[in-house]
Amino acid sequence: MRVHIRNTSRAAVTLLLLLAASAGCSSKPPPTVEVAGGVPLVSAQSRVAAPSFSGEGLDGDHISYEDYKGHIIVLNFWASWCAPCRLEARDLNELAQETEPLSVRFLGINVRDSRDKAQAFERAFQSNYPSIFDPSGKATLGFQGQIAGYTPTTLIIDRTGRIAGIVNGAIQKETLLNSIRHVSEEAPSPLQGIP
């Protein structure tokens, strides 16, 4: 008996296997900086560049990481069927508004979902920042080895485009806020603005 898997499902399964394999093969974790009441951050000299990504937003507009360079980016991987994603949705919306004056921009990547369910989720939680619709895992693929591969996962990307922190699981509002503030107070790199 042959089982045919749709391309979308095959890509999602492949992505999950790659993420699981790379998580088990990773070397020693990078040194971290403890933030009072916050998410431990990767020390500035040990950060790695976030991969470039882009895709179609849930509203049909094109979204590109390149459009947000120079800002601190909070990147949240989520799905409508994910219970912890529902728990953190309002806090993420509030943080997006509260941290905008710090030059922080929030982006979402919706994974393993259907467009209509993802759009209903955004309406229900009145999402105030854009999300890439990524059922095939194309935008997510570049993050293999850097994220755990489950939802929700939230990354803090510094102004120079390097991954400063990762939260696996639902965020705690004050904890994430304290880490965002810490990253916003870091001295700009002399390479900032150089592609």
Side-chain angles (χ1 to χ4, degrees), residues 103-121:
S103 190
V104 177
R105 300 298 179 262
F106 277 60
L107 285 171
I109 297 186
N110 174 257
V111 297
R112 300 185 307 274
D113 218 338
S114 68
R115 187 182 297 269
D116 58 334
K117 289 180 181 175
Q119 289 171 330
F121 180 98

Side-chain angles (χ1 to χ4, degrees), residues 14-144:
T14 302
L15 174 63
L16 288 174
L17 291 173
L18 286 171
L19 290 172
S22 62
C25 299
S26 63
S27 59
K28 187 170 102 176
T32 58
V33 175
E34 293 298 321
V35 176
V39 177
L41 298 173
V42 176
S43 63
Q45 63 273 21
S46 300
R47 294 177 188 168
V48 297
S52 185
F53 60 91
S54 64
E56 184 179 331
L58 285 169
D59 60 1
D61 290 343
H62 182 76
I63 299 171
S64 174
Y65 168 66
E66 305 300 319
D67 296 335
Y68 293 85
K69 282 196 169 176
H71 296 281
I72 294 167
I73 301 169
V74 176
L75 182 63
N76 179 254
F77 295 84
W78 65 277
S80 65
W81 44 262
C82 162
C85 298
R86 293 177 173 275
L87 292 174
E88 70 178 10
R90 285 194 172 81
D91 285 344
L92 288 170
N93 284 333
E94 289 173 13
L95 283 171
Q97 289 182 323
E98 290 173 23
T99 60
E100 190 172 5
L102 299 175
S103 190
V104 177
R105 300 298 179 262
F106 277 60
L107 285 171
I109 297 186
N110 174 257
V111 297
R112 300 185 307 274
D113 218 338
S114 68
R115 187 182 297 269
D116 58 334
K117 289 180 181 175
Q119 289 171 330
F121 180 98
E122 283 202 328
R123 282 191 304 272
F125 291 100
Q126 301 174 352
S127 184
N128 57 12
Y129 56 88
S131 284
I132 291 174
F133 179 58
D134 192 33
S136 68
K138 183 179 176 185
T140 308
L141 192 58
F143 290 92
Q144 69 181 6

Side-chain angles (χ1 to χ4, degrees), residues 148-175:
Y150 57 83
T151 56
T153 297
T154 304
L155 277 63
I156 303 171
I157 301 172
D158 69 19
R159 286 187 181 93
T160 63
R162 297 171 304 151
I163 299 173
I166 300 174
V167 180
N168 293 309
I171 61 110
Q172 300 295 316
K173 183 180 177 186
E174 286 303 314
T175 303

